[in-house]
Amino acid sequence: MGRRHQQLPDRGAAHEDGRSPSIWDTFCATPGKVLNGDNGDVACDHYHRLDSDLDLIASVGVNAYRFSVAWPRVVPEGRGTPNPAGLDFYSRLVDGLLARGITPWLTLYHWDLPQVLQDAGGWPKRDTALALGDYAAVVTDALGDRVKHWITINEPWVAAFMGYGNGVHAPGHTDLAESFAASHHLLLAHGLALQAIRANVPGAKAGITLNLAAAYPATGSPEDQAAAWRQDGFANRWYLDPVFGRGYPQDMVERLGAASPQAQGLVRGSDLETIGAPTDFLGVNMYSRSVVADAPGEGFLDVRQLRVEGSEYTGFDWEVAPQSLTDLMLRLQRDYNPPALYITENGATYPDTVAEDGTVHDEERTRYFQQHLAALGAAITGGAKMAGYFAWSLMDNFEWAEGYDKRFGIVHVDFETQARTLKASGRWYRDFLARAQEGQPA
């Protein structure tokens, strides 16, 4: 599929209007890194289909739309002169959403670091965080008169560990110390972006989005319970604690030893105060849970992830575990007490096919949404301050290292013709929203 995309250079906007290469352009061009040799040059061709895609968004009946700004399109050199054509695209996107009665939710960073900044060291270097602060100032200055909901960083765990620790994502490095250096600078970038938002956007609501998964011990043994706490420290507390002003969890700092940002001399001056500045909400991307056992010698955590027999799994081989969403939201409210909680991503991949009648019958995805929205209702009943939910995702898209093999969308995209088809899950979600607006039972 990727090779077919590469034969259609007249589509896509990866090389249009002044955009510079990102680390993902480089990663995709490296043989063996992305499934089928796919790349994101065309993807949904949203750049050229903006107006019709805005109509599509409106047709689903949502009242808010979350999107990400591409740093290489807006500030191609990473720092310095903004690109007017890049800013104009996002200005038109924002205006189009507002004209349709849809609230724009803007994410500043979703993993597409300009390659020029990676060449200078990337996220393991402090200068990258400072550059993101400057980039945030550019975007907030241009769009802050109309955009009032801001997410600084999307999933810093993924950008740090999968990018620099296990090498599955761009830039493909495999160094534990680098990955934790990157984690600190991503969190510092969050704090610096927050400063830019506060300075340039009166009345802004701002926060960060973390990918979180409740960690459960495989058994009730003390060893497995300790393993679940270590997993929680790595995937959840390492980001939650500093964002909520507690600094890094000491048990994880000790476990990391020389790989910790502290041992590397990277935590300076007022860093923790900058990272822990008050936010207006916490965004949570939730897809599954972790079930773990104590496993001495397996990685730096001494933890083994287990597959739960009898459970349903998605196309990504992620367990469908809606109860864990309830547990997670209640834990976040109890332990961190954020002013508001938003689910900023929740969804599932399945091997969708288009039937002869042109429809996509994705009952598994519909059931996934039903179960997780019910779990969210239980969290609200339990006292979680849930303020909103974003289904992931609107359209099938380029799914990073999995290329075009995995589909998350409630809208099917034919990547050869760019035809959009609302799936059965999309029709269900549209009707669910309509019922909710009318005050009818879900």
Side-chain angles (χ1 to χ4, degrees), residues 294-364:
D294 181 53
E298 293 200 16
F300 74 97
L301 285 179
D302 299 319
V303 161
R304 178 182 302 141
Q305 302 272 348
L306 300 182
R307 184 180 177 89
V308 180
E309 293 302 321
S311 284
E312 179 186 352
Y313 282 79
T314 70
F316 246 125
D317 207 28
W318 295 343
E319 185 189 7
V320 179
Q323 176 62 43
S324 72
L325 177 56
T326 306
D327 295 345
L328 177 63
M329 294 300 106
L330 293 176
R331 181 268 179 104
L332 293 172
Q333 196 65 64
R334 179 187 69 243
D335 290 357
Y336 298 96
N337 195 29
L341 282 162
Y342 286 86
I343 296 298
T344 41
E345 290 182 23
N346 178 239
T349 60
Y350 292 103
D352 303 325
T353 57
V354 181
E356 290 185 5
D357 63 359
T359 61
V360 178
H361 301 286
D362 58 338
E363 287 78 10
E364 291 171 311

Side-chain angles (χ1 to χ4, degrees), residues 198-217:
R198 300 298 189 214
N200 290 342
V201 188
K205 299 294 184 183
I208 189 172
T209 279
L210 304 178
N211 58 299
L212 304 174
Y216 299 85

